[in-house]
Amino acid sequence: GAGVSQSPSNKVTEKGKDVELRCDPISGHTALYWYRQSLGQGLEFLIYFQGNSAPDKSGLPSDRFSAERTGGSVSTLTIQRTQQEDSAVYLCASGGQPGAYYEQYFGPGTRLTVT
Amino acid sequence: DQQVKQNSPSLSVQEGRISILNCDYTNSMFDYFLWYKKYPAEGPTFLISISSIKDKNEDGRFTVFLNKSAKHLSLHIVPSQPGDSAVYFCAASGGSSNTGKLIFGQGTTLQVKP
């Protein structure tokens, strides 16, 4: 079956520009998470969606970061006025199935490079 | 503060031998622990998990051990195969938020030599 997909796979942008990253979760998964992995670091939680609501946004590093989810499915992560420290791999995961609440299935990620 | 730590950045073992990857955590409220495996240019894939009510979980060649008093977990791979070469992340969840969000360690790169 189809897994989690993300687009674009790579994005190079100039400092100060806005970017949008897209995530298509596994069909039927109610929970959706965004993480990022900076060079040499572990994965860092950004935001959690349950359906279209985001009850936990505690990981968003600044107000330049925002995310939305529509139809309980697709999610977009938007970074405004990008900075070089935003360069990282942004990963989306879905999960929340009964009996496997914590098991999350990750997409391949979007590698963002801010020049 | 790093709530989940993997203190060994890398590990090299011979094919057929045991690989032991370690992970320490500080938050006693964590109630679920997972191991993920990551190949380059791919997202992490779920490997094995353990609930805090257990001290061992086994799935084929993979076994996870949990020592709650020491706040320590380990992943054993027996026998190790070259295809196991990847970055392994331990992750923890639970606590007051209970959103299912995962707190990850920094990862350990495992190399299995033929």
Side-chain angles (χ1 to χ4, degrees):
Chain A
V4 178
S5 59
Q6 292 186 246
S7 60
S9 55
N10 279 286
K11 177 73 177 178
V12 180
T13 190
E14 291 181 353
K15 177 181 171 181
K17 295 285 179 72
D18 298 352
V19 294
E20 272 193 4
L21 312 179
R22 177 186 168 107
C23 171
D24 284 89
I26 293 171
S27 177
H29 280 191
T30 57
L32 186 147
Y33 304 82
W34 283 97
Y35 297 85
R36 74 175 177 181
Q37 185 181 15
S38 303
L39 190 63
Q41 301 297 312
L43 282 74
E44 172 192 15
F45 167 78
L46 297 178
I47 187 169
Y48 156 65
F49 286 93
Q50 181 60 245
N52 292 335
S53 301
D56 190 348
K57 306 178 183 180
S58 62
L60 294 178
S62 76
D63 59 8
R64 296 186 295 105
F65 288 71
S66 63
E68 65 174 12
R69 189 179 185 194
T70 55
S73 180
V74 172
S75 176
T76 55
L77 176 69
T78 302
I79 309 173
Q80 295 178 310
R81 305 180 303 281
T82 52
Q83 303 294 313
Q84 287 186 333
E85 62 262 28
D86 300 335
S87 296
V89 177
Y90 288 80
L91 292 151
C92 174
S94 70
Q97 293 300 91
Y101 181 67
Y102 292 116
E103 292 169 15
Q104 297 172 21
Y105 298 86
F106 284 82
T110 294
R111 181 175 295 278
L112 175 66
T113 304
V114 182
T115 60
Chain B
D1 62 334
Q2 193 80 31
Q3 295 190 71
V4 178
K5 293 182 183 179
Q6 293 175 257
N7 291 316
S8 298
S10 62
L11 175 67
S12 182
V13 300
Q14 207 65 37
E15 180 179 7
R17 298 293 185 100
I18 184 171
S19 295
I20 300 176
L21 296 99
N22 294 302
C23 179
D24 298 292
Y25 61 95
T26 57
N27 189 341
S28 58
M29 298 297 289
F30 288 144
D31 60 5
Y32 205 78
F33 304 89
L34 307 90
W35 285 93
Y36 280 82
K37 176 180 178 180
K38 186 180 184 301
Y39 293 117
E42 294 183 11
T45 54
F46 169 73
L47 198 56
I48 192 170
S49 62
I50 188 167
S51 163
S52 61
I53 62 174
K54 295 185 175 181
D55 55 18
K56 177 182 174 181
N57 189 26
E58 192 172 353
D59 183 2
R61 296 185 298 115
F62 303 91
T63 303
V64 56
F65 295 92
L66 176 62
N67 182 334
K68 282 181 291 186
S69 60
K71 295 191 179 68
H72 177 83
L73 66 155
S74 61
L75 174 68
H76 292 209
I77 307 173
V78 182
S80 302
Q81 300 173 353
D84 296 330
S85 298
V87 180
Y88 289 78
F89 292 96
C90 72
S93 191
S96 57
S97 69
N98 200 29
T99 61
K101 74 181 183 186
L102 299 177
I103 308 299
F104 284 86
Q106 308 95 309
T108 297
T109 300
L110 173 65
Q111 182 185 29
V112 180
K113 297 180 179 178

